Amino acid sequence: MKRIHAFTLIVLMLVGSTSLITSPALAWEFELAGSFNWTYEWYNQTGHKGFFGQYNVDNGGATRAANLNFWNGGQFDTNITTSAMARWSYFNVEFEPVIKINPAIKMTGLYRLGTYGDPLASDYHTQDAAGTSRAFSEGQWTLFWVTAQTPIGVFGIGKRPWSFGNALQYDGEDAASTESITLTAPYGPLDIGIAFYPYRFAGSSSIAAFGGYDPYSISLYPYPGAAYAAAPDGVTRQYFSWADGNGSFSKDFLAFVMYSGGPFRAGILGSYGAYHIGPEAELIDPANPPAFPLVAQDSELTHGSVFMKYNNGRFFLNAEAAWLYWTDRFHADPGAQITPPNTLYIEQWRYMVELGAIAGPAKVSLLHAWTPGPDRRAGLIIGKQPAAFVWHPNYDVQLGNFDVFRPYSYLFSYNYGGGLNAYNLSGDGYLRDASVFAARADYAVASNLNVFGTFFYANRTSNGYSWGSLGPNAGVGDFGNVPDGNVSFNINRYPTSPNIPDTALGYEINAGLDWKLLEGWTAGVVVGYWQPGKWFNYACADRSVPGWEAGTAANNFGTRPGKAIDPIIGGEFSLVFDF
């Protein structure tokens, strides 16, 4: 009897498998890649002569900043530590699924394990959630999009990386994303693409964790409140509704063309957008009219890039020029919130050129790049600016250039954000206002081991900064934010001060290796040395100066231009497990 049952089962299995073979294939395919990334970072000042003066000295008036000693950069929970060293270790996990619905349609995503309750490009820091039953992360989908191959081209929709050119402006490999609807059509060696947003709100996010980030720097107005001069509930808004047509883009489209042929690639991209912000969308209580009515404005922005890449296996050349033009036109301003209601302009250009040679196991790369800074005249930040971060710093972080400079600079670029609080949407530092000359040499000691060394030198391209632009939050004076271990940055902190006369940002030397220990397991090491330049002597307040928190001409606006700043050393050790 048991033999009959066994025979019957075998027959049923054979019949079932035959039917699967002969029927049409309707199942979708699933692919999964990912990585576990563990990192230890450390930074140290080689002496006690800090950016903000001698350690443990504070001659300010009730400033409570004597122990705010080491400006450690921007990768930690605070910018300043009491000791001369800052360090921590962390990990994150990334899963990259691809679901192929059929040969023409696929879905792609990125699922990240960071730290619990924090969707802001977070990492899990060592022992934050000790215990086998305590969750360290609830998981976060950071990207998900669909592409469909049609007879006329590839259709795309969803949140996905925005990469174009050499990452001088659209650095999708690290941070930049797009959610536009796109169609890319091949035509011989050309790819021709168009994209548009049917809707995009010109203001802050409706997600609470991102509510403080407004990419278009729209003015905030208290709502609600008895007199609107203050918000009793602590709420400030730009519009009553995120769906309001007056607060969203009226025009929002993009086009690009790319050429690929042998060792040569080139392309050009252009984008245009326009939006209106008007008082008609602000809810007003007639019995309590707003003390400061919303100021109407009309804004237009256009940005783009042109690039080329050449690599014949022995020589390579990468070049790119990128632009951003932005105009904010303000209407009548009875509340004098903007005095006078002058039009604000941005006319920004950046460029980079990278070239090098490959000979056997050796590779040499040279880089020159230029990014603009503010235009400050007689203590005034004028209306027409060559740098986007002056009027629209939040939008500038979407156009970061991390991948251009990270191979050459670990400390000044990645950790210190160029000394100008330049950190992209992934929290990685990039460069604003710098003219850079850099070199890198790589040598493959073995098929699984690469060693490298770099030299990096930079100057400001602009001197449009007030003395004392940088300093610790002290709780009083011109550094009035609550002392919290963070750095206050204000381009024009003291309008009566002259422009900073020195542009030197210093030099940096790095050395490191990438060692593939096993298939799917790579160890990385980088160690850097940075000697800050004289620009920081003028830009950084010095706590040893009496009354440094309230700068005047008599105390050099709280700075000590002749001081010495001890060099910074630092680095990271990383373990990456790919699958």
Side-chain angles (χ1 to χ4, degrees), residues 38-68:
W38 182 92
T39 305
Y40 169 74
E41 287 187 40
W42 63 276
Y43 305 96
N44 189 87
Q45 193 147 32
T46 57
H48 289 174
K49 299 174 182 176
F51 288 94
F52 307 125
Q54 187 70 30
Y55 280 22
N56 301 314
V57 174
D58 183 7
N59 289 326
T63 49
R64 296 183 294 160
N67 63 343
L68 300 180

Side-chain angles (χ1 to χ4, degrees), residues 370-384:
W370 188 94
T371 62
D375 191 341
R376 178 178 183 265
R377 305 181 187 183
L380 296 175
I381 303 297
I382 67 171
K384 180 180 289 187

Side-chain angles (χ1 to χ4, degrees), residues 49-283:
K49 299 174 182 176
F51 288 94
F52 307 125
Q54 187 70 30
Y55 280 22
N56 301 314
V57 174
D58 183 7
N59 289 326
T63 49
R64 296 183 294 160
N67 63 343
L68 300 180
N69 290 319
F70 173 38
W71 179 16
N72 56 47
Q75 295 306 319
F76 300 113
D77 52 346
T78 65
N79 303 139
I80 305 175
T81 50
T82 59
S83 70
M85 174 174 279
R87 55 184 176 170
W88 64 12
S89 61
Y90 56 88
F91 73 82
N92 63 64
V93 186
E94 294 186 339
F95 299 95
E96 302 174 35
V98 178
I99 303 170
K100 294 182 179 179
I101 307 300
N102 55 47
I105 301 174
K106 69 177 181 179
M107 298 180 178
T108 308
L110 178 60
Y111 187 76
R112 180 186 176 92
L113 301 181
T115 197
Y116 196 90
D118 183 4
L120 297 169
S122 66
D123 302 304
Y124 172 72
H125 298 99
T126 301
Q127 213 168 4
D128 271 356
T132 59
S133 298
R134 301 179 68 188
F136 74 89
S137 176
E138 73 275 47
Q140 299 138 3
W141 284 102
T142 66
L143 298 171
F144 205 94
W145 71 98
V146 178
T147 57
Q149 180 70 57
T150 74
I152 60 172
V154 178
F155 174 84
I157 192 169
K159 186 183 179 189
R160 57 201 183 277
W162 188 7
S163 299
F164 190 83
N166 297 300
L168 181 65
Q169 185 146 282
Y170 309 109
D171 191 1
E173 292 298 317
D174 187 63
S177 68
T178 181
E179 299 172 46
S180 59
I181 298 173
T182 63
L183 180 65
T184 305
Y187 187 78
L190 301 177
D191 285 322
I192 303 171
I194 56 173
F196 76 100
Y197 283 85
Y199 161 83
R200 182 158 48 154
F201 181 64
S204 59
S205 172
S206 62
I207 299 174
F210 304 126
Y213 171 71
D214 166 21
Y216 304 100
S217 304
I218 304 302
S219 299
L220 286 168
Y221 293 84
Y223 176 83
Y228 287 72
D233 63 354
V235 175
T236 55
R237 299 181 181 131
Q238 292 146 336
Y239 271 81
F240 173 69
S241 171
W242 279 278
D244 200 313
N246 287 310
S248 61
F249 276 76
S250 59
K251 303 177 183 68
D252 201 352
F253 50 85
L254 174 150
F256 66 88
V257 178
M258 286 197 298
Y259 170 86
S260 299
F264 182 76
R265 293 188 64 201
I268 185 169
L269 177 151
S271 174
Y272 175 78
Y275 58 87
H276 169 76
I277 302 295
E280 63 276 6
E282 182 181 21
L283 293 187

